Amino acid sequence: MLLFLEQLLNGLQLGITLFLMSAGLTLVFGIMQVINLAHGSFYMIGAYVAATVTARSGSFLLGLLAALPAAALVGMLVEILVLRRLYKKDHLDQVLATFGLIMFFNELTRMVWGRQPLFMDVPAWLAGSVELIPGVPYPSYRLAVIAVGILVGVLLYLLFAHTRVGMQIRAGASNREMAGALGVNIRLLYTLVFGLGTLLAGLAGVMAGPILAVEAGMGESILILTFVVIVIGGIGSVRGALVGALLVGMADTLGRAFLPALFRLFLSAAVADGVAASLASMSVYILMALVLVWRPRGLIPAHG
């Protein structure tokens, strides 16, 4: 039971990281109707900038404060230079262009930072553990990641539901031509939305930096899970992204933790480990297929 509770928290932490990624990506697609395969590159940029500034200054907070505007500014620059030319193009053109951006950013990071991965230490003030339940100490840093994700979710809700900018974003998502006719600067709105999405991706990269190695191409693996989250939750829905992220995080973590022990009950250890590893890797895709059979538009689709 103690192991199960610990793995539940691990699944929650992974789900929160996926939510930070998927919230930005689903915003971009839901509002701008752009398929952005390069979203993981901004996750990588956030991690690299944070690792570099943290190593030079010795302060994780300075690394965080440098990474967020860096990811947002690079994202807005990409929107101005590249994506504005793709809004009226087919989705295939958007896929090809943003796939080219993936290769560009991967090579750029190798040129700037080299091919060796960077490593970030957990900040000293978060290096301990907290005993949430007697006998279950849990790393303080992972709890901080969960808290940051919850805070971001609340702030996004307040932004979209209770601010004028949020109203304009929702109007632009529903009918961009009418919103433009009513005086909303659609170009500026799209740039800001894309910047917000890449800022969230950069934040996810910073949060993952002390847990994973910071290396070129690190955004591709999490991008696949991010797309699964968006499909499960409902394309364009931030609430759906939160629900989908938590489901995917739990399915992936619990599958990898407990399927080997389950299969060892009736199979030899070697066979059980192989079968369990395969099924654990497939678990999120099986979950996605089951959800789509039940609700083809996702659990909480946008616009009702």
Side-chain angles (χ1 to χ4, degrees), residues 216-237:
M218 65 183 290
E220 275 82 281
S221 57
I222 195 170
L223 182 68
I224 296 172
L225 287 178
T226 302
F227 275 112
V228 172
V229 166
I230 292 173
V231 171
I232 289 175
I235 295 175
S237 170

Side-chain angles (χ1 to χ4, degrees), residues 235-274:
I235 295 175
S237 170
V238 176
R239 290 183 300 160
L242 176 59
V243 174
L246 294 178
L247 288 175
V248 169
M250 293 296 179
D252 185 74
T253 303
L254 296 180
R256 295 181 190 279
F258 295 110
L259 281 179
L262 177 64
F263 281 100
R264 284 179 185 177
L265 296 176
F266 50 88
L267 294 174
S268 65
V271 175
D273 289 346

Side-chain angles (χ1 to χ4, degrees), residues 61-96:
L61 286 179
L62 284 179
L64 174 65
L65 293 176
L68 298 187
L73 289 173
V74 172
M76 289 189 286
L77 187 62
V78 167
E79 192 276 337
I80 292 170
L81 296 178
V82 179
L83 295 185
R84 281 187 181 179
R85 294 165 173 77
L86 299 175
Y87 292 146
K88 296 183 179 180
K89 301 288 186 180
D90 293 334
H91 287 323
L92 178 59
D93 296 325
Q94 299 169 1
V95 167
L96 292 174

